[in-house]
Amino acid sequence: MSVLLTEIHEQPAAIARALSSSKSAIADLVAEARRREVQYVILAARGTSDNAATYAQYLFQIACGLPAGLATPSVHTLYEASVSYKNALVIGVSQSGAGEDIIEVIAQAKKSGALTAAITNTEDSKLALAADHLLLCDAGTEKAVAATKTYTTTLAIFAALIAAWSGSAALNKHLAALPENASKALQTLDSSGRVLELARTLIHAPQLLTIARGLHLPTAIEAALKIAETSYTTTRAFSSADLLHGPIAMIGAQTPCLCFLPGGKTKPMMETVVATLKARGARVLTLSESADADLPIISSGTELLAPILDILPAQLLAYHLTVARGYDPDNPRGLSKVTVTY
Amino acid sequence: MSVLLTEIHEQPAAIARALSSSKSAIADLVAEARRREVQYVILAARGTSDNAATYAQYLFQIACGLPAGLATPSVHTLYEASVSYKNALVIGVSQSGAGEDIIEVIAQAKKSGALTAAITNTEDSKLALAADHLLLCDAGTEKAVAATKTYTTTLAIFAALIAAWSGSAALNKHLAALPENASKALQTLDSSGRVLELARTLIHAPQLLTIARGLHLPTAIEAALKIAETSYTTTRAFSSADLLHGPIAMIGAQTPCLCFLPGGKTKPMMETVVATLKARGARVLTLSESADADLPIISSGTELLAPILDILPAQLLAYHLTVARGYDPDNPRGLSKVTVTY
């Protein structure tokens, strides 16, 4: 069996391990953040980890009332900026823990007085050693070039961190049910056969757009990345808000648009966007909890955790589309597991 | 003549007006920011204004040592997050000043103790009234749906703000020469005829990628947006760093890649990326100060101001490609000047 497909199915167990392995480190980090009166959060990451960081950006603001933003590592690595991170919590995310630019952001942040943390799947990595706190994914070695289990375990760790920070009992309860729900989601997808069916209709699609809103935007971005890097489709992710600010003009007849409609605050707006896209002749593919969805998603009990489950059908779509096109899902052309930033 | 083409050529004069009209407001803002000991900056914007905000994100960090990040307005408008912006400077950017979500971020920021400012082309707009400080673009009415002069005037105002904040004499000197250099850049482009020539070779290109690094990333993103919204090309912008983290796999033979290589810190890395893309068979189109560039760019004397001049050839390319395809550059299908965020 393909390594990618195996790793996609390892996610429920990996998420359970991540939640358990990071528990005490998360408690320590929250205690120190409280003591130091952290005022805002900066997240430093690249690629898939950057999509996980974007999820955290929303969560910190929504659930903890903390301003949160994404770092631009090149200000340190290229421009040697001397930024003062006093009163900040700076979190570096890298599955390999070897991303030099992320390590540089953490080093600079620490030097200028920030509290720092690393989320990585590699316990003895340079990133893990550079940061004050280590939150370990414990996803097991990830062999496929396209990251899946390191992505969802990173999301789970962020969710657990935010649950501990906000003290939300509801969030903690839904978090405990997450591995079981992830398992249920994969079983539903596999038994329905709908992903394979959909992939076959997309074999000749040169491009594909992914669309979501708010907290679910990182899901659209990660889905676009996963599909692009394995199946070589030209993909692009949009916030439905930004889409209407210009780019909708480029959507022509039959452009496949993967639209994420999980239950919650974004659903009514996404329904409007779906109707607008259909009126323009686009080929709309929906992911929702409704029976008429093109791909089914499973409720995690709260909108805040939805991104951890909603990426699963997109990962499977990336896999099936790649195989349907006759490509190797485990070794995309021109990519390696650890990327050096030029 | 097309309104879009007219407005592209109005930019040198509009930049000169923006620098002069915003001067005293910038001095007031910097003085208050110093007094209040602002610790970090949040920028709230959508669409083209968001690209201008990304430029400012780099500038605040590189030239002022201030952490800076982009807001995610939906945390307020959809999720009603109660974020504490104490010690922050929050800047809302909207050419119309009517973007409800940007106004909401500014209102929330003010309420929770932030210093706030608005950059807009509409003096009596709701955004202008909501913020503590108003920095006016003074670009004149922008009639074309695709924003050009409100983009470059916003960049110029950000550059002037950072020059005042950092007290850099060099930056202030190069800023004064900016209108003249913009004029020179447009003249060079118009007289060479190269943009029109290049546009004609792209008539049948279904997609186009734009690639830059660091401080020039907003130029690539804005170029991609401008070309997409007028000529209906599927475009996507990449940081060269992110490109190598996966998406490079989707670049096939003959994919046109518009690569920005201004002089400065990013040039050596971009040269490596250009070589990598060529080796994969992509069709590389360069923008640089070299004689062998596909499109010429003009030095602004400092890398920090380059994005204000380097977007000009891309705006002209968007115009000429649109006309070459027989579309209306002034009224793209499905777009309006003020966008309501659903």
Side-chain angles (χ1 to χ4, degrees):
Chain A
M1 190 156 90
S2 141
V3 175
L4 177 60
L5 192 58
T6 303
E7 290 178 352
I8 288 172
H9 286 90
E10 279 173 18
Q11 292 178 100
I15 291 169
R17 275 200 312 278
L19 291 175
S20 138
S21 300
S22 63
K23 204 176 173 100
S24 77
I26 284 175
D28 290 349
L29 173 56
V30 171
E32 190 174 354
R34 291 228 171 91
R35 199 165 58 243
R36 291 172 60 158
E37 295 181 3
V38 159
Q39 290 187 19
Y40 65 101
V41 180
I42 301 272
L43 302 142
R46 286 270 178 213
T48 291
S49 298
D50 207 32
N51 302 337
T54 305
Y55 168 68
Q57 183 187 15
Y58 281 89
L59 247 57
F60 273 116
Q61 295 177 88
I62 296 170
C64 309
L66 276 170
L70 303 176
T72 49
S74 69
V75 300
H76 298 298
T77 55
L78 285 185
Y79 300 100
E80 291 156 26
S82 171
V83 179
S84 167
Y85 292 103
K86 210 182 118 197
N87 300 321
L89 164 62
V90 182
I91 306 179
V93 189
S94 163
Q95 51 87 13
S96 68
E100 288 292 343
D101 47 351
I102 306 309
I103 295 165
E104 180 67 23
V105 174
I106 291 297
Q108 287 284 332
K110 205 172 176 177
K111 215 173 79 180
S112 77
L115 174 62
T116 60
I119 300 183
T120 174
N121 196 35
T122 314
E123 196 164 3
D124 55 357
S125 60
K126 278 170 80 176
L127 179 63
L129 298 173
D132 299 315
H133 294 262
L134 166 63
L135 312 183
L136 191 67
C137 291
D138 205 5
T141 308
E142 190 170 57
K143 288 178 195 148
V145 170
T148 54
K149 60 181 181 171
T150 54
Y151 177 69
T152 48
T153 52
T154 300
L155 295 191
I157 287 175
F158 272 128
L161 173 58
I162 272 95
W165 199 300
S166 66
S168 162
L171 196 51
N172 273 301
K173 190 190 78 183
H174 296 306
L175 209 50
L178 199 61
E180 199 188 315
N181 281 325
S183 185
K184 194 172 138 198
L186 288 169
Q187 275 163 28
T188 307
L189 287 160
D190 288 339
S191 66
S192 79
R194 280 202 239 172
V195 188
L196 181 59
E197 218 172 277
L198 181 61
R200 286 186 177 147
T201 71
L202 290 169
I203 290 183
H204 301 292
Q207 50 177 277
L208 183 144
L209 305 184
T210 63
I211 302 160
R213 175 97 166 88
L215 177 61
H216 312 289
L217 184 58
T219 308
I221 301 173
E222 172 63 8
L225 174 58
K226 220 58 6 181
I227 294 167
E229 67 182 351
T230 54
S231 74
Y232 316 140
T233 312
T234 298
T235 60
R236 193 165 160 182
F238 284 105
S239 151
S240 61
D242 288 327
L243 185 71
L244 302 175
H245 265 263
I248 198 167
M250 80 187 190
I251 299 182
Q254 294 304 317
T255 305
C257 299
L258 207 59
C259 296
F260 291 85
L261 293 98
K265 300 281 189 188
T266 69
K267 204 173 180 200
M269 297 78 171
M270 280 300 297
E271 281 167 348
T272 305
V273 169
V274 163
T276 307
L277 288 169
K278 282 185 176 167
R280 294 180 72 92
R283 183 174 168 215
V284 176
L285 307 168
T286 58
L287 292 94
S288 82
E289 292 163 37
S290 312
D292 64 352
D294 291 284
L295 291 178
I297 56 180
I298 297 286
S299 170
S300 59
T302 164
E303 188 182 350
L304 297 183
L305 299 182
I308 309 176
L309 300 183
D310 297 351
I311 193 62
L312 303 175
Q315 292 171 342
L316 284 171
L317 181 60
Y319 168 79
H320 284 296
L321 183 55
T322 303
V323 172
R325 286 183 172 170
Y327 301 134
D328 177 357
D330 298 332
N331 294 293
R333 64 184 181 212
L335 295 184
S336 57
K337 191 68 189 160
V338 178
T339 309
V340 178
T341 297
Y342 289 99
Chain B
M1 191 156 90
S2 140
V3 174
L4 178 60
L5 192 58
T6 304
E7 290 178 352
I8 288 173
H9 286 89
E10 281 173 16
Q11 292 177 100
I15 291 169
R17 276 201 310 277
L19 291 175
S20 140
S21 300
S22 63
K23 203 174 174 104
S24 78
I26 284 176
D28 290 350
L29 173 55
V30 171
E32 190 174 354
R34 290 226 172 93
R35 201 165 56 240
R36 290 171 63 158
E37 295 179 4
V38 159
Q39 291 187 17
Y40 65 99
V41 180
I42 301 270
L43 302 141
R46 287 267 180 214
T48 292
S49 299
D50 208 31
N51 302 338
T54 305
Y55 167 69
Q57 183 187 16
Y58 281 89
L59 247 55
F60 272 116
Q61 295 177 88
I62 296 169
C64 309
L66 276 170
L70 302 176
T72 50
S74 69
V75 300
H76 298 297
T77 56
L78 286 184
Y79 299 102
E80 292 156 27
S82 171
V83 179
S84 169
Y85 291 103
K86 210 182 116 196
N87 300 321
L89 164 61
V90 181
I91 305 179
V93 189
S94 163
Q95 49 88 12
S96 68
E100 288 292 345
D101 47 352
I102 306 309
I103 296 164
E104 179 67 22
V105 174
I106 292 296
Q108 286 283 332
K110 204 170 175 179
K111 215 174 80 181
S112 78
L115 174 61
T116 59
I119 299 183
T120 174
N121 197 32
T122 315
E123 197 164 3
D124 55 356
S125 61
K126 278 170 80 175
L127 179 63
L129 298 173
D132 299 315
H133 294 261
L134 165 63
L135 312 183
L136 191 67
C137 292
D138 204 6
T141 308
E142 191 170 57
K143 288 178 194 148
V145 169
T148 55
K149 60 180 182 172
T150 54
Y151 177 68
T152 48
T153 51
T154 299
L155 296 191
I157 287 175
F158 271 129
L161 172 59
I162 272 94
W165 199 301
S166 67
S168 162
L171 196 51
N172 273 301
K173 189 190 79 181
H174 296 307
L175 209 50
L178 199 60
E180 199 188 317
N181 280 324
S183 185
K184 193 173 141 197
L186 288 169
Q187 276 162 27
T188 307
L189 288 160
D190 287 339
S191 65
S192 80
R194 280 202 238 171
V195 188
L196 180 60
E197 219 173 276
L198 182 61
R200 286 186 178 146
T201 71
L202 291 169
I203 289 182
H204 301 293
Q207 50 178 278
L208 183 145
L209 305 184
T210 63
I211 302 160
R213 176 98 166 85
L215 176 61
H216 311 288
L217 184 58
T219 307
I221 301 173
E222 173 62 8
L225 174 58
K226 218 61 7 182
I227 294 167
E229 67 182 351
T230 54
S231 73
Y232 317 141
T233 313
T234 298
T235 61
R236 194 167 159 179
F238 285 106
S239 151
S240 61
D242 289 327
L243 185 71
L244 302 174
H245 265 264
I248 199 167
M250 79 187 191
I251 299 182
Q254 294 304 317
T255 304
C257 299
L258 207 58
C259 296
F260 290 86
L261 293 99
K265 299 283 189 187
T266 68
K267 204 173 179 200
M269 299 76 172
M270 280 301 298
E271 281 167 348
T272 305
V273 169
V274 163
T276 308
L277 287 169
K278 282 185 176 167
R280 294 180 73 91
R283 182 175 168 214
V284 176
L285 308 168
T286 58
L287 293 93
S288 82
E289 293 163 37
S290 312
D292 63 350
D294 291 283
L295 291 179
I297 56 180
I298 297 286
S299 170
S300 59
T302 164
E303 188 181 350
L304 296 183
L305 300 182
I308 309 177
L309 300 183
D310 297 352
I311 192 62
L312 303 175
Q315 292 172 342
L316 283 171
L317 181 60
Y319 167 78
H320 285 296
L321 184 55
T322 303
V323 172
R325 285 182 173 172
Y327 300 135
D328 177 358
D330 298 331
N331 294 293
R333 65 185 182 212
L335 294 185
S336 57
K337 191 69 190 161
V338 179
T339 310
V340 178
T341 298
Y342 288 99

